[in-house]
Amino acid sequence: VQLQASGGGLVHPGGSLRLSCAASGFNLDRYAIGWFRQAPGREREGVSVISGSDGSTYYADSVKGRFTISRDNAKNTVYLQINSLKPEDTAVYYCATAPLFRLTTHNVLLAREYEYWGQGTQVTVSS
């Protein structure tokens, strides 16, 4: 199982980025792919998750309305469109995967439920 995150960068407040997570070595249909972020001195937090099976999506309250997660199963890739970026969105963004059978609505955004992680991509929001 491998996950490759990309698309981070330096953007001004209000700007946008699209992050990509390319997955290999497993069938996306049986897994969820999640985006998590970790700012310096803070715990890793769940941002958004998508089911590789039915496309159900989940978002942290702090990003609802600004972030959109999507998937392309043919390419085994999950995207995170992030709009209206704020300085507090600055963090390393990671993608991770967990088998669907392990997840419920109560734990879907919890990092501890995810077994495989990509290397992270830095998002910096600054004027």
Side-chain angles (χ1 to χ4, degrees), residues 25-83:
F26 64 101
N27 188 335
L28 198 58
D29 291 350
R30 300 181 180 182
Y31 287 80
I33 299 285
W35 284 99
F36 299 79
R37 65 185 181 185
Q38 188 166 21
R42 302 192 66 176
E43 292 187 359
R44 192 169 297 188
E45 64 169 339
V47 172
S48 183
V49 174
I50 188 166
S51 165
S53 175
D54 64 7
S56 297
T57 58
Y58 307 85
Y59 295 94
D61 289 342
S62 59
V63 306
K64 283 180 180 176
R66 299 190 298 122
F67 289 19
T68 303
I69 192 169
S70 61
R71 79 192 198 278
D72 184 336
N73 280 29
K75 296 182 178 179
N76 251 31
T77 300
V78 170
Y79 305 98
L80 186 69
Q81 179 68 40
I82 46 181
N83 299 327

Side-chain angles (χ1 to χ4, degrees), residues 75-118:
K75 296 182 178 179
N76 251 31
T77 300
V78 170
Y79 305 98
L80 186 69
Q81 179 68 40
I82 46 181
N83 299 327
S84 303
L85 278 160
K86 305 175 182 179
E88 52 263 43
D89 294 318
T90 295
V92 179
Y93 284 69
Y94 299 89
C95 59
T97 188
L100 286 169
F101 71 83
R102 185 182 298 171
L103 301 176
T104 70
T105 55
H106 299 292
N107 68 3
V108 66
L109 288 172
L110 296 180
R112 65 171 184 259
E113 301 296 339
Y114 290 76
E115 184 175 1
Y116 298 100
W117 292 80

